[in-house]
Amino acid sequence: MWSVQDHLDDVLATVRPLDPIELNLLDAQGCVLVDDITVPLSLPPFDNSSMDGYAVRVTDVAGASEEFPAVLEVVGDVAAGQTDPIAVGPGQAARIMTGAPLPPGAEAVVPVEWTDGGSGAGPVAGMRARSLAPEGAEGHVQVYRPAEERAHVRAKGSDVRSGDRALAAGTVLGPPQIGLLAAIGRGTVRVRPRPRVVVLSTGSELVQPDEQLAPGQIYDSNSFALTAAARDAGAIAYRVGAVADDAETLRATIEDQLVRADLMVTTGGVSVGAYDVVKEALAHVGDEDEPGGGVDFRKLAMQPGKPQGFGSVGPDHTPLLALPGNPVSSYVSFELFVRPAIRTLMGLPDVHRPTVTASLAADKALTSPKGRRQFLRGSHAGGSVTPVGGSGSHLVAALAQANALIVVPEDTESVEPGTEVEVVLLG
């Protein structure tokens, strides 16, 4: 009988992070950075306006009001992307757009709403399009409020400065991180790729959803749940339709799938029954003509999920985790063993779900078999956790209502309401 921790340690000691590759930014989404990223240029790279308005000198608008506006000569437009900025001298202003560089001589920006927009008809709500009012960049503008130095100016380097660390190694690249990489001029990045995980379920009784059930048949739910869980963990996951209880068919299916797998996950067929086909099919991988390969089937001191298998298959010794077939057993086993393996392949520093302590909210004491670590479905909120459903490993509906696993240690046979318990957070 293996302990949960020993089995997990065996898995994580075998699985290694995938080799780094260089990817284009969008292809790197969901991948993990291998190296720290240093900023090559400051952001923003120049002082620029945060408003549509007029770039001015502070002394020229000091004391301005609606009764006594400051009247300035408009010397031109400064638009975003403009490479030949004009200068602002005493008594002058330049019409400036959001994101445009602050022109030489200007010290602040007054929003267009503080001005007459060059119309001479009082405060305006905004600028007219240049194509409709080209004269807006000429003539004079009345400014009705003063501005402090650097008002409405985004300073160079106010976001990040050249030489700063933009992103740390181990960061998972999501949309904001990819946006930052693009903003500092990185078109490619070195990452560990998302692992490819193939999930297949076994059992002649399994039927694809939407098909008609015959007597004695059930719908295949495990492969859908585990494929979704693998994607949630960060993998590129492929679901294979249920394989019948035939060792040769299963063996051939696994061999066919190895070409697109960094990790194989099976569910079902690992117990002690006469039709537990996974054990039968994978017995050959330990043959002497495949050195280093082999899948070990073992019993764990846990509930649910006692029967487990782990090893490697194929010429590249692709890791394979064989999970039990009961829906709750397979999902709990995934969370405890497969998810950490996926996160290890990704090269993440922390591969485990977060755990907290919470007060047990229950009508009666929870019982647990001595010598086994029990994982009960629970609903966690506000520092307490409530059991959801019973302990049966077939209760899929209860699993769908849970957001946590309540952990009962091996040496505990009863847990009273109000007791502080360890909780694994699933969401």
Side-chain angles (χ1 to χ4, degrees):
M1 191 80 74
W2 285 61
S3 72
V4 172
Q5 190 60 51
D6 286 346
H7 181 66
L8 177 60
D9 289 344
D10 189 33
V11 171
L12 297 186
T14 303
V15 175
R16 292 287 182 268
L18 298 175
D19 291 335
I21 58 175
E22 191 85 12
L23 290 179
N24 293 324
L25 287 188
L26 292 180
D27 294 331
Q29 183 172 357
C31 297
V32 176
L33 270 181
V34 173
D35 309 305
D36 290 348
I37 300 295
T38 302
V39 179
L41 78 165
S42 297
L43 290 181
F46 47 81
D47 291 351
N48 69 89
S49 177
S50 65
M51 304 286 287
D52 295 322
Y54 290 85
V56 299
R57 289 159 37 101
V58 172
T59 56
D60 290 335
V61 295
S65 65
E66 290 196 31
E67 185 178 1
F68 299 104
V71 181
L72 305 177
E73 178 190 2
V74 181
V75 294
D77 272 354
V78 185
Q82 190 167 320
T83 58
D84 187 21
I86 57 179
V88 173
Q92 296 179 334
R95 196 168 67 158
I96 191 168
M97 314 305 148
T98 301
L102 190 70
E107 300 167 327
V109 172
V110 291
V112 66
E113 295 88 348
W114 297 4
T115 76
D116 68 350
S119 66
V124 296
M127 296 180 183
R128 297 179 66 193
R130 180 170 172 78
S131 60
L132 300 177
E135 70 281 0
E138 303 172 353
H140 292 81
V141 64
Q142 295 184 18
V143 179
Y144 302 120
R145 290 175 60 178
E148 296 180 356
E149 187 171 355
R150 309 292 292 177
H152 307 297
V153 175
R154 302 171 180 145
K156 175 181 178 179
S158 56
D159 190 354
V160 290
R161 295 184 178 276
S162 176
D164 287 351
R165 186 175 69 175
L167 296 170
T171 299
V172 179
L173 296 181
Q177 292 77 30
I178 288 175
L180 174 57
L181 290 169
I184 62 175
R186 291 291 296 262
T188 64
V189 66
R190 202 164 77 103
V191 296
R192 296 192 191 276
R194 295 168 63 194
R196 301 164 301 161
V197 177
V198 173
V199 177
L200 62 89
S201 54
T202 64
S204 298
E205 77 281 10
L206 299 178
V207 176
Q208 177 83 8
D210 290 333
E211 294 182 1
Q212 188 67 36
L213 286 179
Q217 293 182 325
I218 61 173
Y219 289 121
D220 173 21
S221 63
N222 284 2
S223 64
F224 285 92
L226 300 186
T227 302
R231 292 176 180 175
D232 181 70
I236 300 170
Y238 304 102
R239 175 189 167 271
V240 180
V243 180
D245 289 324
D246 178 78
E248 192 59 39
T249 301
L250 178 59
R251 212 162 20 235
T253 302
I254 290 175
E255 290 172 356
D256 287 344
Q257 294 297 322
L258 285 175
V259 69
R260 61 173 181 173
D262 298 307
L263 178 69
M264 294 283 301
V265 179
T266 67
T267 171
V270 296
S271 193
V272 294
Y275 290 84
D276 284 323
V277 68
V278 174
K279 294 174 71 173
E280 179 185 354
L282 298 182
H284 79 292
V285 299
D287 292 348
E288 59 183 13
D289 60 342
E290 295 186 25
V295 176
D296 180 33
F297 293 92
R298 53 189 65 158
K299 296 178 181 179
L300 271 60
M302 64 180 286
Q303 186 184 51
K306 179 180 178 181
Q308 300 282 338
F310 172 64
S312 62
V313 293
D316 295 326
H317 305 303
T318 302
L320 182 145
L321 285 105
L323 311 183
N326 279 317
V328 177
S329 299
S330 68
Y331 186 74
V332 170
S333 299
F334 180 96
E335 287 291 340
L336 297 180
F337 309 123
V338 183
R339 182 182 173 90
I342 290 172
R343 309 289 278 181
T344 298
L345 287 168
M346 295 174 68
L348 286 167
D350 186 4
V351 300
H352 301 289
R353 289 283 199 185
T355 60
V356 298
T357 58
S359 175
L360 178 64
D363 296 331
K364 59 181 181 179
L366 300 182
T367 59
S368 184
K370 185 177 181 179
R372 294 196 192 182
R373 185 179 302 182
Q374 189 173 40
F375 297 89
L376 297 169
R377 286 137 291 174
S379 175
H380 175 266
S384 67
V385 62
T386 305
V388 176
S391 60
S393 56
H394 64 291
L395 302 175
V396 182
L399 180 62
Q401 304 303 316
N403 64 1
L405 295 176
I406 304 169
V407 183
V408 183
E410 291 88 341
D411 58 354
T412 301
E413 297 181 68
S414 179
V415 183
E416 296 293 330
T419 303
E420 291 290 312
V421 292
E422 180 185 353
V423 175
V424 179
L425 303 180
L426 300 179

